[in-house]
Amino acid sequence: MEKESFEDQEVADYLNEHYVSIKVDREERPDIDNYYMSVCQALTGSGGWPLTVLLAPDQKPFYAGTYFPKHRKMGQIGLMDVLSQIQQKWSANSESILEMSEQIVTEINKKMMEHIPGTVEEELLHRAYRQFEQSFDEEYGGFGDEPKFPSPHNLMFLMNYYKVYGEGKALEMVETTLIRMYQGGIYDHVGFGFSRYATDQRWLIPHFEKMLYDNALLALAYLEAYQLTEKQLYAEVAESIFTYVLRDMTSPEGAFYSAEDADSEGVEGKFYVFSREEIEDALGVEEMHRYCNVYGIEPGGNFEGKSIPNLLKGLPRENAELRGMNPLAQQNLLEEAREKLFAYREQRIHPFKDDKILTAWNGLMIAALAKGAKALQNHGYAEAAEKAADFIWSTLRREDGRLMSRYRDGEMKYAGHLDDYAYLAWGLTELYEATGKVSYLAKALDVKDDLFALFWDEERGGFYFTGKDSEEPLLQGKEFYDGALPAGNSVLAVLLTKWAAMTQDMELLHFAQEHLHAFAGEASYYPAGHALYLTGMSYGLQGGKEIVITGKRKDIKMQEMIAIAQKSYAPDAALLIVYEEESGEIYQLIPTLQDKKAVNGEATVYICHNFSCKAPLTTTEEVREAMRASR
């Protein structure tokens, strides 16, 4: 539409004469996007982008759609037809349009506020599992038809389901999907990172746009799979995501940029695809044949005459064994080839980088890096997460402490919405567990207090998407669907139970239960559409879990115990680290920790469940066995 209509002089002249045109960056203003998308879905039965909405002067909508060609085409009404017809109706009888917009707003607001409470019960988890099983692609992984989106929170739900109920098929669906996504072209085998989605069943042909949030959530899923299975491939994929983000998507201040476009030089995917001749230019003849054989670079290409590197023929280790090669030797050769191809590709014109810094998406990447620091015992990831968290905390908060949504070119803008607060709280909580620095836990709990002050619905439970201090009450509502991004309410379904366990706060546990109850009825209509919320429900049903490790910072056994807990698959458990010689700060924050002292001065672990603790553990073997049993 930008090329066909908005850059067209005829369209521009007509718009400028009869309308006020407003272009919204939906990443900066998801509150506006969410509201008017609800309008579009209500009026047309579907939604999508570009989102086109016509509003009365008071911002109330009366017409909506997605893509319009400039003129009528193939039975589809054209933008010029819409604009002229509406303009004529407005000139003839604007009152009827205003009356219609009032009716639409009344219905939409009613719908957005209508979150149906229900019973928090295990059957919802089982129904979601069955829905995933029914839509699962046995051959290529993923769920449903093309286009295929990664939706990592669905995989995180299934891993938790496997842990709780021992359902092997749940883990099989996760592993098949993770491996097939990595093999496909949705994963950048030259420069790392994942594209937004695949347009085909095999994950081969991506929409080449790379989003920060996708890569953060995918890193979380691969890391949890590594913790659960201890399979090295998952760790390697997560590490490669971090390599990409820290190399290409990190600002000088340490925060993370939002996205990279699919196009370069006006052509989608041009930066990422290769011909065999280009591979030969970069590698030479012998290396070219080896690389093309492994990575599916065919003479005719697999995408508009060129090829997207992929591993659909099989993983390199499998290929090496079939050809009688040493897998390690082949891995080294392929890595050398990848580095040469990367250097060759770097000479091309790069896709545009969206360098705005979004609080919400940074929160997700902070959470991912912190989990990487824990699972992989890589302190460098914790340092990168700290740098981003410190930037957000110092730069994207007003003097009164109000969190803001976006930073670019020295300017912070837009009052933070629910996702900003929820995702940042997730990142800060994970960062505390990765570093043991009490300041990050204190900040997470400060964000928790702000969440209740600004967003909590006192009457019906749950959190509004926009703050109570919003100047635009038209946009008030609650988001709950776990789509490409999990809803802030779903993230909080996970965090509230964890925070209640951490703080031993019975009132907070009550709020956690009320929050789950507020959305359970709505989730029952299509449980698989609320995967992260149901993960939080599972944590709540299993009871809040807490792992407290206390001892002296320089005690080697203390550090070993921390490492065992951090590397283990226990996403439902809150991890608390108490260094006795500097314990005053955390005792002040969580006074109940004073009851959990080191036994005989030795590093000690307390594993607690539902506000009740088992006998303390004082050997690494006991801790390792306890964490293994919890998995």
Side-chain angles (χ1 to χ4, degrees), residues 468-480:
K468 296 171 185 175
D469 58 348
S470 171
E471 296 176 1
E472 299 171 87
L474 182 70
L475 307 179
Q476 189 70 282
K478 295 175 190 170
E479 287 298 313
F480 178 53

Side-chain angles (χ1 to χ4, degrees), residues 72-307:
R72 184 180 295 275
K73 183 168 63 178
M74 303 291 288
Q76 184 176 11
I77 192 169
L79 181 64
M80 287 299 291
D81 304 311
V82 170
L83 295 175
S84 61
Q85 290 173 21
I86 295 293
Q87 193 275 325
Q88 290 168 20
K89 289 180 180 177
W90 180 266
S91 297
N93 187 3
S94 62
E95 288 302 317
S96 66
I97 291 179
L98 289 170
E99 185 179 332
M100 182 168 61
S101 72
E102 283 288 347
Q103 293 171 354
I104 291 169
V105 166
T106 300
E107 287 301 312
I108 293 299
N109 287 351
K110 182 180 176 184
K111 183 176 181 296
M112 290 184 76
M113 298 302 293
E114 251 183 13
H115 289 285
I116 304 165
T119 304
V120 176
E121 58 185 357
E122 286 184 299
E123 179 55 28
L124 276 180
L125 311 180
H126 300 319
R127 283 178 54 203
Y129 166 74
R130 290 194 294 268
Q131 288 173 347
F132 284 125
E133 187 179 25
Q134 288 164 5
S135 64
F136 178 63
D137 182 337
E138 296 282 352
E139 186 172 3
Y140 294 107
F143 305 92
D145 300 324
E146 60 213 45
K148 278 186 172 176
F149 289 82
S151 300
H153 36 286
N154 295 346
L155 305 179
M156 294 160 75
F157 165 81
L158 288 168
M159 282 186 273
N160 178 71
Y161 191 87
Y162 165 77
K163 174 189 174 182
V164 174
Y165 300 107
E167 177 54 68
K169 180 68 176 180
L171 183 58
E172 180 188 326
M173 289 191 282
V174 170
E175 293 204 75
T176 300
T177 302
L178 291 176
I179 291 169
R180 292 301 196 188
M181 285 195 299
Y182 165 68
Q183 288 179 286
I186 190 174
Y187 175 77
D188 180 358
H189 292 274
V190 175
F192 306 144
F194 282 83
S195 295
R196 190 168 167 224
Y197 61 87
T199 62
D200 67 320
Q201 183 186 11
R202 300 188 299 161
W203 305 100
L204 172 61
I205 301 171
H207 173 55
F208 289 89
E209 186 179 22
K210 287 181 178 178
M211 311 299 294
L212 181 69
Y213 67 78
D214 280 321
N215 283 281
L217 290 166
L218 280 161
L220 285 165
Y222 277 98
L223 288 164
E224 288 195 1
Y226 172 64
Q227 289 175 312
L228 184 58
T229 68
E230 298 182 359
K231 293 181 181 177
Q232 193 60 33
L233 174 65
Y234 304 139
E236 291 169 2
V237 176
E239 288 175 318
S240 73
I241 291 172
F242 294 146
T243 297
Y244 159 68
V245 169
L246 295 175
R247 182 192 67 220
D248 292 345
M249 299 296 287
T250 304
S251 73
E253 303 92 345
F256 306 113
Y257 299 136
S258 295
E260 289 189 303
D261 272 3
D263 300 0
S264 54
E265 301 179 76
V267 179
E268 180 168 354
K270 184 174 182 179
F271 180 75
Y272 295 101
V273 298
F274 295 89
S275 66
R276 287 176 72 92
E277 291 73 25
E278 288 171 322
I279 302 286
E280 184 177 341
D281 285 344
L283 304 182
V285 176
E286 184 179 347
E287 271 192 284
M288 178 271 287
H289 283 295
R290 181 189 303 112
Y291 185 88
C292 290
N293 186 44
V294 173
Y295 283 94
I297 312 295
E298 305 293 346
N302 57 34
F303 179 74
E304 299 178 357
K306 292 195 175 184
S307 288

Side-chain angles (χ1 to χ4, degrees), residues 350-600:
H350 283 241
F352 172 78
K353 195 188 306 289
D354 185 346
D355 62 357
K356 66 176 177 283
I357 292 166
L358 297 173
T359 299
W361 298 4
N362 270 255
L364 290 178
M365 187 52 71
I366 291 164
L369 283 162
K371 188 175 281 281
K374 292 190 293 182
L376 306 173
Q377 291 295 288
N378 184 324
H379 186 64
Y381 295 151
E383 289 179 345
E386 286 189 75
K387 198 171 181 182
D390 293 346
F391 175 82
I392 297 295
W393 197 258
S394 62
T395 309
L396 270 149
R397 290 165 71 242
R398 291 191 317 222
E399 289 184 3
D400 62 359
R402 184 65 160 89
L403 195 61
M404 305 297 280
S405 275
R406 186 269 277 163
Y407 175 89
R408 188 173 184 276
D409 288 345
E411 178 195 45
M412 67 170 180
K413 202 169 182 182
Y414 307 121
H417 47 80
L418 181 65
D419 288 358
D420 291 305
Y421 280 81
Y423 293 171
L424 180 62
W426 189 1
L428 291 168
T429 303
E430 291 282 350
L431 189 51
Y432 162 70
E433 293 185 347
T435 64
K437 294 182 179 179
V438 182
S439 60
Y440 293 119
L441 179 56
K443 287 170 182 172
L445 295 177
D446 282 346
V447 174
K448 179 261 296 178
D449 292 340
D450 290 341
L451 276 160
F452 279 100
L454 288 166
F455 301 95
W456 180 252
D457 181 349
E458 300 284 352
E459 293 182 21
R460 293 172 292 270
F463 294 90
Y464 294 115
F465 190 76
T466 54
K468 296 171 185 175
D469 58 348
S470 171
E471 296 176 1
E472 299 171 87
L474 182 70
L475 307 179
Q476 189 70 282
K478 295 175 190 170
E479 287 298 313
F480 178 53
Y481 181 71
D482 292 332
L485 276 162
N489 272 301
S490 297
V491 171
L492 291 168
V494 170
L495 287 178
L496 289 175
T497 297
K498 178 172 273 198
W499 286 334
M502 277 182 156
T503 59
Q504 299 288 287
D505 184 337
M506 290 298 293
E507 184 181 15
L508 187 53
L509 181 62
H510 167 75
F511 279 118
Q513 293 168 344
E514 186 178 348
H515 180 65
L516 290 171
H517 171 75
F519 297 103
E522 186 168 348
S524 69
Y525 288 116
Y526 182 55
H530 307 284
L532 193 64
Y533 162 79
L534 292 180
T535 303
M537 180 181 287
S538 176
Y539 295 173
L541 287 166
Q542 297 302 313
K545 297 178 183 177
E546 178 189 29
I547 301 166
V548 181
I549 307 177
T550 183
K552 293 182 169 55
R553 180 181 286 276
K554 294 184 179 179
D555 184 346
I556 294 174
K557 187 170 75 170
M558 172 80 170
Q559 296 303 324
E560 287 177 352
M561 288 176 166
I562 293 171
I564 291 167
Q566 289 177 334
K567 290 191 291 184
S568 298
Y569 178 76
D572 57 338
L575 175 62
L576 288 156
I577 299 167
V578 181
Y579 293 116
E580 288 199 324
E581 59 269 47
E582 50 197 81
S583 57
E585 187 179 0
I586 197 163
Y587 285 165
Q588 187 173 3
L589 195 64
I590 307 175
T592 56
L593 288 175
Q594 295 179 69
D595 299 331
K596 300 176 178 68
K597 301 287 189 183
V599 176
N600 297 324

Side-chain angles (χ1 to χ4, degrees), residues 17-32:
E17 183 177 355
H18 299 290
Y19 292 84
V20 176
S21 300
I22 303 172
K23 186 177 183 180
V24 178
D25 183 338
R26 70 187 187 91
E27 293 166 4
E28 289 190 336
R29 294 302 305 269
D31 50 342
I32 293 174

